[in-house]
Amino acid sequence: MIRWLIFVLAYMALSFYVLQALRTISKQPWWSWIYIAVSLAVMVNFIYQFTVGEETGRVLSIPKSYAFGFLLTMLTFNLITIIFLFSEDIYRLISGLYQKLYGEEKQFGLPARRRFLSLLALGIAAIPFGALLYGMYKGKYNFKVLRYNLEFDDLPDSFHGYQITQISDIHSGSFDDRKKIEYAVGLINKQKSDVLLFTGDMVNNMTSEMEPWADLFSTLHAKDGKFSVLGNHDYGDYIPWETEELKHQNLEDLKKLQKDMGFDLLLNEHRYLQKGDDKIALVGVENWGKGGFKKAGDLKKASAQIQENDFKILMSHDPSHWEMEVIKDAYHYHLTLSGHTHGMQFGIEIPGWVKWSPVKWRYPYWAGIYKEMGQFLNVNRGFGFLGYPGRVGIWPEITVITLQKKALT
């Protein structure tokens, strides 16, 4: 109760400060009343959703995620505005003290100056405010197809030009627009790749989240099949269960659902992709993540029955596995496919110029293609979204990778 009281007082103090800026730039009272109404609505909805709202657990439900998203948008707007105005108030305070101590008649806080700074602050704050709203309205379904050509010295000849489509982090429990998902599934099939690989996090918490979408994702197809692995969210670790048996059954139900949808789920095991006499080893591990994330992945077990000189593609949900174990392994894994980071669903990307997101401070390998010790990693930015119900700058991704043999290019 005390923390909610502190939250309300802090939020209202920030809002009151920003309200002064609105009153400075306009004598029309309706601007102020609109701001007050929106601020109160966002605060009340957030409190409601996180006190008496539905569902418990560490992963936000759709209503909670929107409550969080709108709060984040308002706080961003308020804080940026306050940074400008507070600096002006500090200047005026110091100036006032100087005038009082030395008795000089100087005008330090001109109304015109205050109005200019208020306009500047509100204008700059409006940019991320609008971006976050756009991210919730359009950005989360702004699907992009990213294409990469990767060359290898030892790729089997028959696999030159072999095309892989990778998707990751579906997070079906967050979806709220079937038409957009139908479009994305159609976009995946439009690539007409040889194989489709899904690298984990089909749900947020429970198998039931995927059931309304199972018929749609069952229509995904690739001539050499669809393969999948589990991500950290697929185990149901982020919500309370009445019994361990129910939690276990949820995971078994998800495994069965994936099979019914046509996915071959790799649980620390391998398959061979065959073309004539040539083959590629496709290895899939369960989730392995650094820190507090589940470490069910067993690379040794998954690769126990393949040959050291096989060309290998590894599916591992969390890129920290590649960083911590895969590139140091005695076996050479030519290409690892991961997801997990979502690119934090927020950042700036201008191909060839800028690729930045705050998630880089947590994951050094967070989006796109990387190469270390002659081994490639692709970190998919994710198909869905989680927490903040949107994306800004880091768009949902369908990856298409074409394998090429250097001698044949």
Side-chain angles (χ1 to χ4, degrees):
M1 183 63 184
I2 294 177
R3 62 181 179 177
W4 282 115
L5 181 60
I6 294 171
F7 164 74
V8 169
L9 291 174
Y11 182 85
M12 290 181 69
L14 292 176
S15 299
F16 178 78
Y17 207 91
V18 174
L19 187 60
Q20 306 315 304
L22 286 169
R23 288 174 173 169
T24 299
I25 66 171
S26 176
K27 296 186 181 298
Q28 300 295 329
W30 58 273
W31 278 105
S32 299
W33 288 114
I34 289 175
Y35 175 78
I36 291 169
V38 172
S39 294
L40 285 175
V42 167
M43 181 184 72
V44 170
N45 183 50
F46 181 80
I47 294 172
Y48 171 78
Q49 294 297 342
F50 282 81
T51 53
V52 298
E54 62 183 47
E55 297 185 35
T56 59
R58 289 161 57 189
V59 177
L60 305 184
S61 64
I62 292 176
K64 283 184 175 179
S65 66
Y66 274 97
F68 169 72
F70 286 124
L71 180 73
L72 178 65
T73 302
M74 285 302 298
L75 286 177
T76 302
F77 179 81
N78 288 348
L79 288 171
I80 292 175
T81 303
I82 286 169
I83 288 172
F84 281 85
L85 299 186
F86 188 67
S87 62
E88 166 69 2
D89 285 341
I90 292 296
Y91 170 78
R92 291 170 68 187
L93 176 63
I94 294 173
S95 299
L97 289 173
Y98 179 89
Q99 184 174 325
K100 187 173 182 179
L101 289 172
Y102 295 97
E104 295 189 17
E105 295 295 330
K106 289 186 178 180
Q107 184 65 34
F108 290 95
L110 295 174
R113 175 193 175 107
R114 181 69 172 186
R115 187 173 186 276
F116 170 76
L117 281 173
S118 296
L119 279 168
L120 180 64
L122 292 170
I124 292 175
I127 297 172
F129 178 81
L132 287 167
L133 289 179
Y134 174 83
M136 290 190 282
Y137 177 59
K138 289 277 191 181
K140 62 188 176 185
Y141 295 129
N142 186 23
F143 294 97
K144 301 295 183 184
V145 178
L146 302 185
R147 303 179 185 277
Y148 303 101
N149 296 321
L150 301 183
E151 292 185 344
F152 303 89
D153 291 319
D154 54 348
L155 179 72
D157 290 355
S158 299
F159 284 89
H160 177 69
Y162 194 77
Q163 186 170 291
I164 299 165
T165 291
Q166 180 201 359
I167 57 174
S168 192
D169 299 85
I170 289 174
H171 287 291
S172 54
S174 299
F175 292 160
D176 56 9
D177 190 327
R178 189 171 184 89
K179 288 292 184 184
K180 296 295 186 183
I181 304 304
E182 287 175 354
Y183 165 76
V185 168
L187 192 58
I188 295 169
N189 284 332
K190 191 177 179 180
Q191 307 313 309
K192 296 182 179 179
S193 289
D194 296 291
V195 69
L196 175 64
L197 305 180
F198 169 63
T199 47
D201 277 2
M202 185 165 281
V203 298
N204 294 346
N205 294 306
M206 297 181 291
T207 301
S208 59
E209 297 165 4
M210 190 63 192
E211 290 170 357
W213 308 94
D215 62 329
L216 182 55
F217 281 87
S218 295
T219 65
L220 290 171
H221 59 81
K223 63 181 181 180
D224 289 343
K226 304 184 295 190
F227 300 87
S228 62
V229 293
L230 296 175
N232 55 298
H233 281 268
D234 294 323
Y235 296 91
D237 288 340
Y238 304 123
I239 56 170
W241 297 88
E242 290 183 9
T243 65
E244 280 298 314
E245 289 75 16
L246 286 173
K247 181 180 179 182
H248 174 75
Q249 187 59 52
N250 176 72
L251 181 57
E252 293 305 309
D253 290 343
L254 182 61
K255 293 176 183 177
K256 182 179 183 302
L257 183 62
Q258 291 206 27
K259 182 179 179 181
D260 293 343
M261 292 164 58
F263 284 94
D264 186 353
L265 178 62
L266 304 183
L267 300 166
N268 294 324
E269 50 192 331
H270 81 281
R271 303 286 187 268
Y272 275 110
L273 302 174
Q274 198 87 27
K275 288 179 74 70
D277 294 331
D278 292 333
K279 63 184 180 180
I280 282 178
L282 179 63
V283 181
V285 295
E286 294 195 50
N287 190 78
W288 193 103
K290 68 180 178 181
F293 288 104
K294 182 181 287 290
K295 293 178 174 59
D298 189 331
L299 191 58
K300 297 297 183 187
K301 179 181 177 182
S303 302
Q305 298 180 37
I306 66 175
Q307 303 302 312
E308 184 175 355
N309 61 348
D310 284 336
F311 189 93
K312 307 172 196 67
I313 297 176
L314 172 66
M315 301 167 66
S316 180
H317 176 69
D318 191 320
S320 65
H321 187 216
W322 188 74
E323 174 192 0
M324 304 295 291
E325 291 201 338
V326 176
I327 57 176
K328 303 171 185 175
D329 194 84
Y331 274 15
H332 181 90
Y333 291 89
H334 299 75
L335 172 62
T336 298
L337 302 176
S338 300
H340 182 64
T341 71
H342 299 204
M344 202 176 168
Q345 299 169 209
F346 175 84
I348 301 170
E349 285 199 83
I350 303 174
W353 291 85
V354 178
K355 187 176 81 172
W356 177 88
S357 169
V359 78
K360 68 179 290 185
W361 298 320
R362 164 72 172 167
Y363 293 97
Y365 307 101
W366 61 273
I369 296 288
Y370 301 90
K371 188 176 183 182
E372 299 282 353
M373 298 172 64
Q375 301 171 80
F376 286 99
L377 167 71
N378 181 61
V379 184
N380 184 284
R381 293 159 180 80
F383 182 92
F385 50 92
L386 187 70
Y388 165 62
R391 285 178 176 265
V392 178
I394 307 293
W395 311 121
E397 175 182 343
I398 298 162
T399 311
V400 177
I401 296 174
T402 302
L403 306 180
Q404 296 180 332
K405 185 158 187 173
K406 264 185 188 175
L408 300 178
T409 54

